Amino acid sequence: MRPRLAKFIFVTGGVMSGLGKGVVSSSIAKLLQLSDQRVSCVKIDPYLNYDAGTMNPIAHGEVFVTEDGGECDMDVGNYERFLNQDMPKSHNITTSQVYSTVIEKERRGDYLGACVQIIPHVTEEIKSRIRRTAEEESLDMLVVECGGTVGDIESLPFLEALRQIRVEDGPESVAFVHVTLAPSIDAVGEQKTKPTQHSVQELRRIGIQPDYVAVRCEKELEGPTRKKIALFTNVPERDVLSCHDVGTIFRVPHVMYDQGIVDSMFKKFGKVGLVNTSNRWADWTSIVDSLERPGEDVKIAMVGKYVDLPDSYVSVNLALRHAGASIGRSVSIDWIDSETLREGSLGGYGGIIVPGGFGTRGAEGIIAAAEHARATDTPYLGICFGFQLAAVAFARGACGIGGATSSELDSSAEDPVVGILPGQEGAGMGGSLRLGAHEIELTGGSRAEAIYGARSITRRHRHRYEFNLDYRGRFAREGMVFSGQSDSGRRMEVLEIPSLRFFVGVQFHPEFSSRPGSPEGAFGAFVSAAAGI
Ligand code: GLN
C-alpha cells in the first residue's frame, strides 16, 4: 500500500535569531491539530553538534529531554506543550546526524562508484528523514522548522532539501512560512519593512518563494505596513501575518487564527478546515485564558547557576506557571544566583526550587539553599541536581556528616552521599548520561504517592550521579524517606521529609512532563504548598 501523502509546512527564519520561530511553528501545528489533522513538528538544527546534549544552556537555552532519551533543542519542548503530544528524538535533525548516516553509507559501499556530494546525497538523506517521519506516523501534516537564519552557510543543504520537496510534491502539498521582524525604532513607532524585504529576497535567491510571511512586531502590524510587505515579498496581503507580542506564547494560535491562516492553508491544500467548531478549540481557549488570568501572586525563589538566560530553564518556568494557573494563582519567579547567595537572599519566598545543573560552580550555594529550606520549613522542590544537593545538605545538617558531598564536586571525597552511576566513570560526554523515561515505584502512604495518586509513574531523566545507598539507613533514622525508586530499588528517585510542610527532591525531571492545562504532580503540589494551600 502506498503511504498517504502528508502536507508539509516549512518554517524558515529571517533577519535574526530569537524571533520565536518555534512558537510560530508550534502555533501553526496547534491550529492544524485543532482542525482535526494528525500533525506533528520537526526541528532542524543545522549546527555540527550531534544533539543539544553537549551545548551550554546559558547560550542555547535548555536541553529538552524526550521520552526516548533524546537531548533536544528546546523548541521540541514547545511542540510537546502546544500539541500535548510526546515527540520522539527523531524529530530533532542536526547536520551531524545527517552526515553521519551519509558517511556510514559511503563506507558500507551503498554509493559505490559515485562521487558523494551535498546534492544529491546529503539532500536525499534530509528529505528521506522528513518523509519517513510523516509516513511512519501516518501524519496528515508535518510542520518542519529550519533553525538558523536564511543566509547562514550551515542551513543551505536543509533549505535546498525543503525546496526540492516542494518541487517534487507540488505547491498544493507544501507551504513555506517565513518568520521575520518589523522593528519600530523611532519615536512614532513606524514599523520598518526593509529587514523583511531583504530576508525574503535572500530566500528567493535560493529558490524559495514563501507562501506566508509571519512578521514579529511589538504592536499589531499596521495596514500600510502589511500592504508594503505584501507588495515587496510577493505574498498576498491576507497571508502576511502579524505576530505581535501577547501575554503568553500560548495565545499565538489565536492571533494567527484570527488572521485567517487556517482557511488560507486549507484552501491551499485543498482541504476543509473546521477549527472553531471543534470542542478542543474551546478547551484550548480556556487553558490559555487560565494562563493569562492574573491571580494572587505566589513568590518562588529559583536557585541555580544558569540565571542569566531565562531560556536555560524554560520548562521549569512554564511548569511552575501551569501549576499556578491550575489553582488560580500567578507565579512570580526570582532567579537567585547560587554563587552569590547570602544570608537573607531567600527570605519572603513562598517556596524554593532548585532545578537541574552540572559542575561545582555555585554548588555550595545550592546546598545552603536546601539547608535553609529545611531549617525554616519553607516548601522545597529539588530537581535532579536539586535532589542530589538536598541529600548532601541533609547529610551535613541532619546526620552530622560534615564532609558529605557529591562525587561530582569532589571525586575523592570520603563521604560521597551522591556517587557516580556505575559505568559512567570513563564515559564520553555526549549522549552518555542516564537518559529518558524510566519507571519509578512509589512507596504506599508516602507524600509521593499522594502527589501522583499512583504507585508507579514514568518520568524522564538526565543524570550521571545518583544517591549512594550506603547512607540510606542513616538518612532514614534522621527522618528523610526515599519514597520513589527505580530498577527494583537500586536507584533512589524521590526523597521527602514527612515532618516538614513540603520538602521533596526528585532525581527525574518533572518539568518535561508538564503541559498547559495539566501541570505535573510535583509542581502542582509544590506551588500549592508555596501558596499555603
Ligand atoms: N549533575 C548531576 C548529574 O549528572 C545532575 C544532573 C541534572 O541536574 N540534570 O547527575
Side-chain angles (χ1 to χ4, degrees), residues 355-359 383-385 388 408 433 462-466 507 509:
F358 291 83
I383 297 172
C384 202
F385 206 36
Q388 297 169 358
E408 186 173 4
L433 294 97
R462 182 171 185 249
H463 63 121
R464 186 170 280 124
Y465 297 85
E466 66 179 353
Q507 179 58 78
H509 286 272

Side-chain angles (χ1 to χ4, degrees), residues 41 53 55 134 515:
C41 294
M55 286 199 293
R515 307 271 165 90

Side-chain angles (χ1 to χ4, degrees), residues 338-413:
S338 55
E339 277 194 291
T340 56
L341 189 82
R342 268 178 246 316
E343 198 63 55
S345 302
L346 296 171
Y349 289 102
I352 297 170
I353 185 164
V354 175
F358 291 83
T360 52
R361 191 162 64 78
E364 285 302 323
I366 295 176
I367 296 168
E371 184 55 18
H372 171 88
R374 189 178 72 89
T376 57
D377 197 4
T378 306
Y380 176 88
L381 178 62
I383 297 172
C384 202
F385 206 36
F387 160 98
Q388 297 169 358
L389 296 186
V392 171
F394 190 81
R396 293 184 191 171
C399 307
I401 311 172
T405 188
S406 159
S407 318
E408 186 173 4
L409 312 180
D410 175 3
S411 54
S412 56

